[in-house]
Each structure stands twice: as structure tokens, then as C-alpha cells.
Amino acid sequence: MNDWRIFTDTSRIAYFSMEIGLATEMPTYSGGLGILAGDTIRSAADLKLPLVAVTLVSRKGYFRQTFSADGWQQEQPVDWRPEDFFELLPGKVVVSIDSRDVKVQAWLYRVSSPAGGEIPVLFLDTDIPGNLPEDRAITDYLYGGDNAYRLKQEIVLGIGGARLLRTLNFQIRKYHLNEGHASLLTLELLNHFRRRFHATWEDRDSWDLRSVQESCVFTTHTPVEAGHDRFDYELVQKIMGEVVPLGLLKELAGLKELNMTLLALNLSRYINGVAKKHGEVSKELFPGFEIHAITNGVHAFTWTSPYIMAVFDKFLPGWANEPELLVRVDNIPDQEIWDAHYGAKAYLFQYIEEVTGIKYDPDILTIGFARRATAYKRAKMIFTDPDRLLQIGRGKLQLVFAGKAHPHDDHGKKMIQDIQKLAATFGDAIKLVYLPNYNMDVASRLIPGVDVWLNNPLRPLEASGTSGMKAALNGVPNFSVLDGWWIEGHIEGVTGWSIGPPPTDASAEVNHTDEDADDLYHKLETVIIPLFYQDRPGWIHVMKNAIGKNAYYFNTHVMMRRYVTEAYIR
Ligand SMILES: *Cc1c(COP(=O)(O)O)cnc(C)c1O
């Protein structure tokens, strides 16, 4: 293996993310944001982009999900040893937390591409002898603890991360903030570019805001006001002290409380949302800022099942590092696509039987739904009228669910429990399982193995959504509310199907659940079920369009080329 110092030979984009999902065995992610970060890094490696990623080590992980006998989510800490995966880098830095010096070190993980690129990923860690026990625990739990714990983590990520990069001699040409969690790094940069040693807030020309802005790219992911990290200034002063004068901080991050998003917005020259619609929504949330849109993607090679991969390799060689080639999917014979999908389906059903003891039928139309169990995702929507669902789907439908609720989200846990209770009442009429512990491995097996991928979030709360792109890659059509990426990917009856009304104006927060559910039932009964059972060539045509018109575009190779040309080198 190369000495890590070669990574410091080229100047790099520093990609900061609170969570990064690289492998199931490394539980340093919770959901879509972390998976996106992982896919970003994998595509950067394939494309040989000069990037270094920075995140937290999350020694106790997010959590492992199991269910009690009555279907209530139980959270177990994840047992893993970062030492088994990473090499410790020399050099430590110090950040001030609660007026104490807290040491931060970094572990290195290398993401290597078969195409020859390699991206260093730094996992920050405070579990160092000499730090107080409570400080050693700062990098334990992803999204665990209270607001104070969260602020400490964000100090380690933003300030500690920026200092470590400098100590290790990385040359950084741009900092990319993947969501607002790393915004405190802008304060480190303000000090770095400060023109006078003793600079006060009033002393305006001492602060070179412009140089900080030129250095930062900010991607926002949250389309609701309440979703953005904010901290009380009293807490900030107690825990962080005064990194920059308070007056300056308030001017940049909000007068009443420290709003991490506002801080990032004020100190980044390039700002983007993660789908066209999300860009619009963000403009309304933060008037006065120029906000662009770069639609998310998924890493094609990572999310294509081995069954479909074999077909792509045969008919579209080179597709993995040039997913645009998928546009030529019509060169693949129907039977080959169908057989590959059938293989992926059998592989999923084998897993379902292992985990639940329930045998699924590969000839029955199977719908999948898996994502974080949080209210706006409306996991229970298909069960709005269970009698109607039974009447439409008896003997013709199977359902597979998965997803974790945040440990503090009792509403999400109740949703999971309710779905498992419904499974008992449906019995064999419509088979229904809730698979435990949704993670990258489960997703890789689940998504390609169903026939339709269902998504019905409350508009406009799905900033982008990426699991539907994983489905499309595997020839699984989306059946989804028109929100996030699907507004761009949807052609009715061609790439999949919509649920509910067309996307209305950005600020609409009307709950259309009954209307959406009605449309869902109607299309299932009159369009999707008949097509699946009565017109197989027509069905396979939609599968191919999902690949040729969705997957060829909604991938992180395309996305990263856009970040390079529109954000990084401008
Ligand atoms: C892709 C993925 C997600 C994101 O799913 P969305 O439908 O975009 O919310 C979350 N968790 C895991 C494990 C995933 O693989």
C-alpha cells in the first residue's frame, strides 16, 4: 500500500459529512445522507477526482435494529472495531470544548476504484488517552445524545477536521459541506484568512469573508425550517467559547440562535439543493441567496445486483464507469432482463424466508418500501383502507418493508409496529413482512428483488430521495409521489407511475394523504396489476425504460461531473 503522504501531493476538495456509508460493517451512517456521501466518494475514486473526505468515526455506530415480540423497535449498540478497518494517522490536533483542550486524531480508510483512483477518507476520533471520559465519548454515537453532544460533535467535525487536514499537510482548494453539520469549519477559515491578529468584529476589514466564501461549497438537504441544526448562543459560548467574536458570529449565523445552515449559506459562494424542486424550495426558505440545484445520484456499480450486472456486462460493457451507456438498454433482449430480475427476486425471497420463515412466491407482483421510518415518509399510506387493498391485491400482491426509526422517534416506531400488526391480519391473502435492520446489505438485496418501488412522502419534504434510483438501475420501476428526483425522472407509464397530484408550488404543505391513497389504489388496480399479469412485454418495456431513461442519468458519476464543472472549479 502507498504511504498516505502521497495524498498530500495534489491539492484536493475536502468533502465534509457527518455520516458516510461505505460498507455495512462500518456503521458510520444512518440513511440517505450517508449513503449519498459514500456514493459520492466511490464515484470520485472511479473518476480519479482529487478529493479527501472527512467524517466522524461513530465508534458505537448508529444502532442495530431488532423487534420485540409485539413489533416494537429495540436498539442495540453496534460492535465494531475501527482499528480493524483503518490505519491511524500520525498527528493530533486540539479543539476547545467546555474550556478544555480536547485532542482529536484521524483514522484513514482508502476507497479504491478498479479504475485506479483512490480517495482517502478521514474518520475523526476523540477516544484518546488524556481526554476526559466524556470527551472520549464525543465520537461514539451518530446522531445520539442531546443538543450539547451534537454541538460538540460538530466542533470536532468542522473545526477539528479543518485543523487536522492542515496538520497533516493536505492542500485544500475547496471545502464541500455536505449539509450544515460541518459549518463550523467556516469559523476556522475566517481565522485562517484573518488579516490582523487582534481582529474585533467592528474592525471589518480584518475579516476576509470573501476568501472564505470562495473556498466553500454548500449542499443543503433539508426542505423544512425545523430540520436545520440550531444552537442557543448561551450553549455555544459555554461549549465552544469564542472562536470568532460573538457579534460577527451573530451577523453570519443568526441573531437569536446559531443556525448552522445560515452560517454555511453566508460563507459559501456556491450553494445547491439536491434536486430541481428542492433548489426551488430552498430559495423560498432562504430568500436572498443564489441557490442552484444538482440532482443526487447513486453509485451504479455499488447498487446494481449481480444478476443485472451480468447482463449489463454482456451487452453494455463499460457501463459501470460510464453509466450513460445504459441509454442503449434496448439492445438487451427482453428475456435476458426478465431472467436477471427473476434471479434477483429469488435471491431476495431466500433472504425473506431465512429471516422471517415466510415463503414468498416469485410469480406474484411484489412491492417494496424501505427507508427511514419517519412521519413524512408515510410508510402506512398503502394501508389507508386495508379492505380496499385486500380487495385489489388478494392473491396478486406481496409487500416487503424495512427501515429504522430514530431512537427518539416514538411515532416512527409506532408506524413500524402497526405495519407488523397488519401483516398478521392479512395472513396469506397479501403477504407482508417488515425486515429488521435496514442497512446497505439489506438494501442491496431488497431493492433489486421487488417488482415495483413504492415511495409516498409528504410533498415537498423529499429533498431528492435516492432509493428509487437504486431501483431504476435494477430495472425496478418507481411508483411514487411527484417529489424530489422523481419529478425529473417520471414519465407516466413509461419509466413508472406517479401517485397523487402533480407537484404544486414550492411552499405547498397541504397533506393530500387521502387523495394520494385513492390514486395509489386506483393505479394499482387499473394499471399496474393488469400490466404485470397480462402484458409481460409491456411490463419489461417499463423496466427497460427505468434503466435507459432514469438510471443512465441519476447516478453519482453524472452528479460528480456536475459538481466539478459547476461548483468545484468555478
Ligand atoms: C438508499 C438508502 C437510503 C435512502 O433511501 P431514500 O428512499 O432515499 O430515503 C436509506 N438507507 C439505506 C440503507 C439506503 O441504502
Side-chain angles (χ1 to χ4, degrees), residues 31-32 35 303 371 377 438-440 443 465-467 470:
I35 304 283
W303 296 106
R371 44 186 57 84
K377 302 269 196 185
Y438 190 49
N439 59 26
M440 288 180 70
T466 53
S467 63
K470 300 170 194 166

Side-chain angles (χ1 to χ4, degrees), residues 126-252:
T126 59
D127 186 10
I128 304 172
N131 282 343
L132 288 184
E134 62 172 297
D135 297 335
R136 293 180 72 155
I138 292 173
T139 49
D140 272 356
Y141 286 103
L142 178 60
Y143 305 134
D146 55 10
N147 229 22
Y149 185 74
R150 177 73 154 252
L151 179 58
K152 290 176 188 177
Q153 289 193 324
E154 297 191 5
I155 293 169
V156 170
L157 178 64
I159 299 178
R163 287 185 186 163
L164 250 166
L165 286 174
R166 192 159 305 132
T167 296
L168 295 172
N169 237 352
F170 278 92
Q171 309 157 54
I172 303 304
R173 61 173 92 165
K174 284 268 197 232
Y175 293 84
H176 185 170
L177 289 72
N178 186 41
E179 189 54 306
H181 306 123
S183 298
L184 297 176
L185 85 79
T186 59
L187 306 184
E188 181 68 11
L189 295 181
L190 274 173
N191 281 324
H192 177 71
F193 288 113
R194 190 177 46 185
R195 296 197 184 96
R196 270 181 222 99
F197 189 72
H198 292 289
T200 62
W201 168 46
E202 292 77 14
D203 190 6
R204 291 305 165 100
D205 348 312
S206 301
W207 301 98
D208 184 359
L209 269 52
R210 217 193 128 111
S211 290
V212 179
Q213 287 158 347
E214 289 298 323
S215 307
C216 292
V217 169
F218 173 48
T219 302
T220 172
H221 292 261
T222 315
V224 264
E225 194 64 37
H228 298 265
D229 270 353
R230 303 140 184 284
F231 301 101
D232 214 74
Y233 278 115
E234 238 172 88
L235 186 77
V236 171
Q237 290 214 282
K238 178 182 166 292
I239 290 177
M240 189 170 78
E242 203 167 89
V243 176
V244 300
L246 187 62
L248 177 65
L249 185 59
K250 288 188 170 177
E251 189 174 303
L252 296 168

